[in-house]
Amino acid sequence: MPPPSTQVPAGYYDDTMPPPSTQVPPGHWTTAAQEVIKPHGQYHNTDLPVPANSKWVKAFLSTAVLWAGSQPNPWEMSESVMVDTLQDIFDVVYPGIKYKVNPNSAVFAVTQQWLSEWRSNIGSAALAIIVDFCSCIKDTPNAEVAKQLLKKYAFIYEDLDSILREMAYLSAFILQLMATNHLIVIANHIDVPALNTDELSLEGMDGAIVLCVVALERALKFVRDNIIKVEEVLASMATGKFAVKLPMVLNKATGKMLSGCYKFSFANCHEETELYMKSISSRSNESKAAIIAHLRKLMKKSPMKAECSDDDDEESIDECALICNKHSISLPTPYATNFPAAFVLLVPIMYSLICNFYRVI
């Protein structure tokens, strides 16, 4: 049984429209929060003006991630805008506590740390998905599989052989990554009228989708260019720990061998982020809502949902099977008809990432 903070309530994604968020009733200031000012990187959950309990994680941080996932640049948000946003969320979640969010406060710093982990987990999960997929295709070199998926951006389309604009951002890769690393995280967001959060939950996930696409493209390029070895990653997974060893490159400024140029970060991914953001921003609200509707349907059938609930239903993921049945790369028989089995192998990894994300320090 996973920790309560990682559970998605039964039936949460049964409909295209999400259920109304639970808004904390308004109240009056009753308590003035006190905190000790520290250097930005030294804040921990214990420094927060409120308990770092499930209310902080499930209500406050989930809503902050929902907002961040709607931003045109999910890597770096304006400091002043973020301060105002966190203040709006704090006032709704903790109506009885008087507290002023500022860039040097614990709330601001800890939330930034949380958002950094959210982005990092997307990058790690994307690597796990691509490595697992490539490992299932035995008769084609991994580099060639990745090359074919990158060709004409096939990896973003629902049907890998049919490049149709209306089918963009509906691939099994994107849906699985979004479902397990974003929808689960924001499942308990609250209603903050000032941020229009209910509308964001319907069609305001541009930033999160782009992060997933960029992460998947990065992972595919790593495999295509032999930056990572699928066999080595699989060997690490056999020990129960997902580990990717990135090459070390000489940093001329420090004179040290570092792997920073391969990290999933704004410095390495900002150009790709901008390009994909232009693409998804040009789509209609109806198109974006359709992508999110697909995500909710996938959540009902996802192996991750089965792992995080008491329901042992292992219904297959139609979207995944659909893509594999139509894909031109020759697949081994078990995966040609049952591609979801590949994602079942990822459940322990995804679950571990989410548990780490929800941990209270």
Side-chain angles (χ1 to χ4, degrees), residues 52-286:
N53 53 20
S54 60
K55 184 177 183 180
W56 166 255
V57 173
K58 298 170 82 172
F60 186 91
L61 291 177
S62 292
T63 308
V65 172
L66 172 67
W67 171 79
S70 72
Q71 298 304 296
N73 181 0
W75 294 102
E76 294 184 346
M77 280 74 77
S78 163
E79 192 174 83
S80 60
V81 173
M82 188 169 171
V83 165
D84 292 341
T85 297
L86 298 184
Q87 188 69 61
D88 289 334
I89 300 173
F90 193 94
D91 290 346
V92 173
V93 178
Y94 303 101
I97 298 178
K98 187 176 182 179
Y99 178 80
K100 185 68 174 178
V101 178
N102 68 76
N104 297 315
S105 65
V107 167
F108 188 93
V110 172
T111 302
Q112 278 195 323
Q113 294 168 16
W114 183 270
L115 294 178
S116 178
E117 286 194 39
W118 165 66
R119 292 186 292 264
S120 178
N121 284 347
I122 288 176
S124 297
L127 285 169
I129 288 174
I130 296 303
V131 165
D132 184 75
F133 180 80
C134 290
S135 72
C136 295
I137 303 176
K138 305 299 184 183
D139 56 354
T140 306
N142 296 324
E144 181 61 26
V145 173
K147 180 180 177 181
Q148 291 300 318
L149 288 172
L150 286 166
K151 187 176 181 180
K152 295 183 179 180
Y153 304 96
F155 73 97
I156 75 171
Y157 293 93
E158 182 176 25
D159 183 345
L160 303 184
D161 292 327
S162 181
I163 309 301
L164 299 175
R165 186 177 188 277
E166 57 269 25
M167 295 292 102
Y169 305 107
L170 290 174
S171 74
F173 303 114
I174 295 172
L175 295 180
Q176 187 75 14
L177 190 54
M178 274 289 292
T180 55
N181 289 271
H182 188 64
L183 281 197
I184 284 181
V185 176
I186 67 172
N188 295 290
H189 79 273
I190 62 167
D191 179 22
V192 181
L195 303 179
N196 207 4
T197 49
D198 283 342
E199 182 175 335
L200 294 184
S201 68
L202 283 174
E203 55 191 44
M205 300 188 189
D206 291 11
I209 293 172
V210 167
L211 279 178
C212 290
V213 175
V214 172
L216 288 165
E217 182 181 68
R218 165 180 171 266
L220 286 166
K221 288 180 177 179
F222 279 5
V223 174
R224 180 197 64 187
D225 300 336
N226 289 313
I227 293 173
I228 62 172
K229 308 292 185 183
V230 171
E231 297 78 9
E232 292 179 3
V233 178
L234 290 175
S236 74
M237 292 169 63
T239 65
K241 181 180 179 181
F242 176 70
V244 175
K245 187 176 181 180
L246 297 175
M248 306 292 280
V249 178
L250 178 65
N251 184 303
K252 294 181 180 180
T254 64
K256 297 180 179 180
M257 298 295 290
L258 304 171
S259 60
C261 62
Y262 294 109
K263 299 292 186 181
F264 186 55
S265 65
F266 174 73
N268 296 328
C269 304
H270 68 278
E271 292 183 0
E272 295 84 352
T273 300
E274 291 176 7
L275 290 173
Y276 282 117
M277 185 56 71
K278 287 180 181 178
S279 169
I280 199 162
S281 297
S282 67
R283 302 177 73 86
S284 66
N285 289 339
E286 291 76 14

Side-chain angles (χ1 to χ4, degrees), residues 263-315:
K263 299 292 186 181
F264 186 55
S265 65
F266 174 73
N268 296 328
C269 304
H270 68 278
E271 292 183 0
E272 295 84 352
T273 300
E274 291 176 7
L275 290 173
Y276 282 117
M277 185 56 71
K278 287 180 181 178
S279 169
I280 199 162
S281 297
S282 67
R283 302 177 73 86
S284 66
N285 289 339
E286 291 76 14
S287 173
K288 297 175 187 179
I291 295 173
I292 296 173
H294 273 73
L295 285 170
R296 292 200 175 90
K297 290 177 182 178
L298 177 61
M299 282 298 295
K300 291 199 301 180
K301 303 176 181 181
S302 171
M304 172 57 68
K305 180 175 184 291
E307 178 73 11
C308 291
S309 69
D310 294 328
D311 187 1
D312 291 328
D313 182 16
E314 295 184 352
E315 185 178 0

Side-chain angles (χ1 to χ4, degrees), residues 6-17:
T6 64
Q7 271 189 310
V8 178
Y12 184 87
Y13 296 102
D14 285 352
D15 301 311
T16 303
M17 286 284 291

